[in-house]
Amino acid sequence: MLKLGKVTASVVAVSLSLSVLAACGSDKEQASPSVAPGSSSSATAGPKKEISISVYDRGEVSGEEGSYENNRWAKWINENAPATVKWVPVPRNEAQTKLNTLIASGSAPDLIWEYERPYIAQLANQGAIQPLDQYIEKYSTSYKKYLNENPELKPYLTVNGKIYAVASKRGVESVANAGMWIRQDWLDKLGLKAPTTVEEFIKVAKAFKDGDPDGNGKADTVPIVFNTNGGVVLRNLFTAHAGGQWYLEGDKLQLGRVGDRYMASLDFQKQLYDQGLLDQEYITDKNGQRATQLWTTGKSGIFLGNWDMENMFKDLKKNDPNAKMTALEPFATQYGKTGLLQSAIPSIMVGFNSSMKEDKIEAAIKFLDWMIETGWKPLKFGEENVHHKLVNGVPQIIDAEKFRKEVNYAREYAVINQYELKPEWFPIMAASDPVSQEYAKEKANSLQVAMKNKFRRDIPYTPDLPELSQLTATFNPIADQIEAKIVTSGASMTAQQGMEEIRKEWKRLGGDNVDKLVNEWYQKNKQDLK
């Protein structure tokens, strides 16, 4: 019997660096697991209700395993859960289109899930899914307890004052999003410490540019490079965000992209560019390929991007075995110190089809109770001593290929789950070679650094307003062009001048009306946003 307690699904994926298996499924019969890890071996007595649930089809079920509808884990669920489940696959990249088609035809599954809250809100407003408050109160035990223990989930699940979905929290490694890395060996060589302020950061970057940190006698280093996440990092240092983030100024919401903090972030980026501290070709480096090459060949000292950079770490070590990269904590700006980008806490959000009758709703809620309590564990880790073994209480994969084939796809069925990732687990999960162990320790540190400072999120999600969506679709490409001009045009445009242009475009496109609608929405919904 598996005794994992609250453990994280993604530890397994992290430790394996599993690739996606793009194979076509079939309905080939497959024996279900002989052991029912983490749950009772017998299902609820008596006949069980059948419920249907959507599931992402990522093409990961091999022909030997069967199909998303019929495989060892689908059978295991039906043997052990308090309801029989019919899984309805929807292509991952066309999920909403497929679900909309099923809803329109009246053939949608009972439980419909997606990652995006706006889609769930859309279904609620269309009447495609139904409120769940009374049913959770009436029929749930485990999930009701979980929700009461994690009240920060409720704003994401609430539409028009009622709960329309259930969800569990992401693991910490999924909440952590962005990261900053620095060459510790370069700092040591030049007698510098990790920067804690804007001024110190610029000083370090200049030293990396002029101090020949790679020791080749040439001024050929590029102090700062970044991937597509890098611009986000630079803005977040000033508590500003371009991705539709709204901030409270007093009791009124303002779009982050037109605020003074955003202007300060652009001014800072311009300083870095003008002084040659930022890669001068970053704008054309759309996929981050140049940044990756500069970093892994030892030509750059600061990388702005993701908190987890295992491949880049290992490639750098191949080129320079003495290189030492470590996570850099956000430094203070004139607005203080803030956290790097952190994703919203809910994982997938599960709505209940509005056509469901109460007896099916009861069965579905009891199924979710079972899933949040124990059902998720084997779907994430497989069977003990078959797919993993416990090392100091931490699941360690026995055979990576066997796990990839027999267990990896099963995570789709754990529609709600609970787990706690501990950074100190990474060395246990990693391969035993010295480089993997070195990175595992740096990775643990990086995750702690990424989560050390709170990311500012004044409202949990972007307002569900079509006028806002329509405006930003037009506004954002225009703002992108102006921002690139601010950073790269030298003395011909200051950050203030550029921001004036950005604000004019916002107004020209109808920003005043959207500001009004957003703040009316906020006043109407702010009690549900807490």
Side-chain angles (χ1 to χ4, degrees):
M1 213 58 151
L2 188 65
K3 297 180 181 178
L4 290 180
K6 294 182 180 180
V7 286
T8 176
S10 54
V11 169
V12 171
V14 165
S15 65
L16 293 174
S17 300
L18 294 173
S19 60
V20 173
L21 175 62
C24 296
S26 71
D27 287 328
K28 182 176 178 179
E29 288 295 314
Q30 189 62 237
S32 59
S34 57
V35 181
S39 73
S40 170
S41 60
S42 61
T44 302
K48 298 189 290 186
K49 283 282 183 184
E50 180 180 279
I51 59 174
S52 55
I53 307 176
S54 63
V55 60
Y56 277 169
D57 183 345
R58 302 180 194 266
E60 294 180 338
V61 183
S62 69
E64 295 174 70
E65 285 293 296
S67 66
Y68 276 98
E69 299 97 321
N70 183 22
N71 55 65
R72 71 178 71 218
W73 295 106
K75 290 180 179 181
W76 177 84
I77 290 169
N78 287 340
E79 290 169 1
N80 290 277
T84 300
V85 180
K86 176 185 177 183
W87 297 98
V88 180
V90 294
R92 171 63 184 102
N93 295 328
E94 304 170 14
Q96 293 183 16
T97 301
K98 177 65 174 178
L99 288 171
N100 288 340
T101 301
L102 293 173
I103 291 168
S105 65
S107 56
D110 298 319
L111 271 56
I112 302 166
W113 62 261
E114 244 289 3
Y115 285 102
E116 297 182 10
R117 185 195 179 278
Y119 182 68
I120 294 297
Q122 174 188 320
L123 296 183
N125 289 322
Q126 291 173 348
I129 58 176
Q130 58 183 299
L132 301 175
D133 308 68
Q134 62 174 321
Y135 301 120
I136 292 173
E137 182 62 32
K138 184 176 181 180
Y139 296 120
S140 179
T141 54
S142 298
Y143 184 73
K144 179 166 63 176
K145 179 175 180 288
Y146 178 84
L147 193 57
N148 288 335
E149 291 172 347
N150 298 279
E152 62 272 28
L153 281 170
K154 291 182 180 179
Y156 297 93
L157 311 178
T158 302
V159 182
N160 301 324
K162 294 185 178 296
I163 292 177
Y164 273 87
V166 300
S168 51
K169 292 168 65 175
R170 294 174 184 263
V172 66
E173 81 295 343
S174 297
V175 173
N177 191 302
M180 300 194 297
W181 294 82
I182 194 165
R183 287 286 298 269
Q184 182 64 49
D185 53 320
W186 285 16
L187 288 174
D188 295 341
K189 180 179 179 179
L190 300 174
L192 299 168
K193 293 183 179 179
T196 60
T197 65
V198 167
E199 295 75 20
E200 290 178 1
F201 182 78
I202 292 175
K203 177 184 176 182
V204 166
K206 286 181 177 179
F208 284 180
K209 179 176 183 286
D210 302 327
D212 190 25
D214 62 350
N216 70 349
K218 302 176 183 178
D220 58 353
T221 52
V222 179
I224 305 166
V225 295
F226 55 71
N227 63 13
T228 53
N229 235 10
V232 175
V233 170
L234 288 171
R235 291 187 285 271
N236 287 163
L237 290 166
F238 292 80
T239 325
H241 191 58
Q245 195 86 353
W246 290 75
Y247 296 99
L248 278 171
E249 303 294 343
D251 195 40
K252 292 191 68 175
L253 286 172
Q254 181 188 59
L255 180 68
R257 198 163 193 172
V258 300
D260 288 345
R261 291 191 303 276
Y262 197 86
M263 179 171 64
S265 74
L266 290 172
D267 185 60
F268 175 60
Q269 191 170 331
K270 183 178 181 66
Q271 289 181 55
L272 297 177
Y273 189 88
D274 287 348
Q275 296 179 52
L277 306 178
L278 187 65
D279 180 24
Q280 303 292 285
E281 298 181 36
Y282 83 93
I283 289 180
T284 58
D285 188 25
K286 299 297 184 182
N287 60 7
Q289 185 174 350
R290 173 179 161 82
T292 298
Q293 182 179 22
L294 287 169
W295 184 263
T296 56
T297 56
K299 291 301 178 184
S300 181
I302 298 170
F303 195 103
L304 310 179
N306 307 86
W307 73 269
D308 181 6
M309 291 179 29
E310 181 170 5
N311 290 337
M312 291 178 66
F313 179 95
K314 290 184 175 179
D315 287 344
L316 172 62
K317 294 292 284 189
K318 287 178 185 176
N319 291 319
D320 183 358
N322 296 316
K324 181 174 175 56
M325 57 182 275
T326 192
L328 177 63
E329 186 178 350
F331 47 84
T333 71
Q334 63 264 45
Y335 298 104
K337 186 163 68 171
T338 187
L340 298 176
L341 178 62
Q342 296 166 13
S343 298
I345 59 169
S347 186
I348 62 176
M349 283 171 270
V350 186
F352 282 44
N353 195 315
S354 58
S355 66
M356 288 179 72
K357 303 301 183 185
E358 188 162 349
D359 57 343
K360 271 202 169 186
I361 293 172
E362 179 182 2
I365 287 178
K366 289 181 177 178
F367 170 81
L368 293 173
D369 271 5
W370 170 80
M371 184 64 74
I372 195 73
E373 189 173 325
T374 61
W376 65 273
K377 297 175 185 176
L379 299 174
K380 300 290 189 175
F381 295 100
E383 296 183 47
E384 186 178 355
N385 298 324
V386 176
H387 299 109
H388 73 272
K389 61 182 178 180
L390 295 180
V391 178
N392 298 328
V394 180
Q396 187 180 79
I397 298 305
I398 296 172
D399 183 325
E401 178 59 23
K402 182 179 178 66
F403 183 91
R404 180 193 64 81
K405 177 181 173 182
E406 297 182 0
V407 182
N408 195 45
Y409 67 85
R411 71 189 186 281
E412 301 293 340
Y413 302 125
V415 291
I416 54 175
N417 53 76
Q418 50 182 324
Y419 49 82
E420 294 177 0
L421 173 67
K422 301 185 189 309
E424 59 268 25
W425 290 2
F426 288 138
I428 297 174
M429 305 306 299
S432 59
D433 63 278
V435 172
S436 294
Q437 283 296 307
E438 181 182 352
Y439 180 70
K441 293 173 184 175
E442 289 296 341
K443 181 178 179 180
N445 177 59
S446 180
L447 180 56
Q448 291 173 318
V449 169
M451 297 300 295
K452 182 177 179 180
N453 299 286
K454 186 177 181 180
F455 173 71
R456 180 176 173 180
R457 194 186 298 277
D458 291 356
I459 55 174
Y461 52 84
T462 302
D464 306 316
L465 297 172
E467 296 87 349
L468 172 59
S469 300
Q470 292 165 10
L471 188 152
T472 53
T474 305
F475 170 73
N476 284 343
I478 296 172
D480 287 343
Q481 292 179 354
I482 298 172
E483 289 165 15
K485 188 177 178 182
I486 292 171
V487 175
T488 62
S489 63
S492 65
M493 177 178 280
T494 65
Q496 183 173 352
Q497 290 169 334
M499 183 55 71
E500 288 174 1
E501 285 194 21
I502 290 172
R503 289 167 176 162
K504 284 179 183 176
E505 289 297 322
W506 176 253
K507 287 180 176 293
R508 180 181 69 82
L509 295 168
D512 286 344
N513 181 54
V514 167
D515 287 338
K516 176 175 175 289
L517 293 174
V518 165
N519 277 285
E520 288 174 351
W521 171 90
Y522 173 68
Q523 292 301 326
K524 178 182 176 182
N525 294 281
K526 65 180 179 180
Q527 292 304 315
D528 293 333
L529 301 174
K530 297 179 180 178

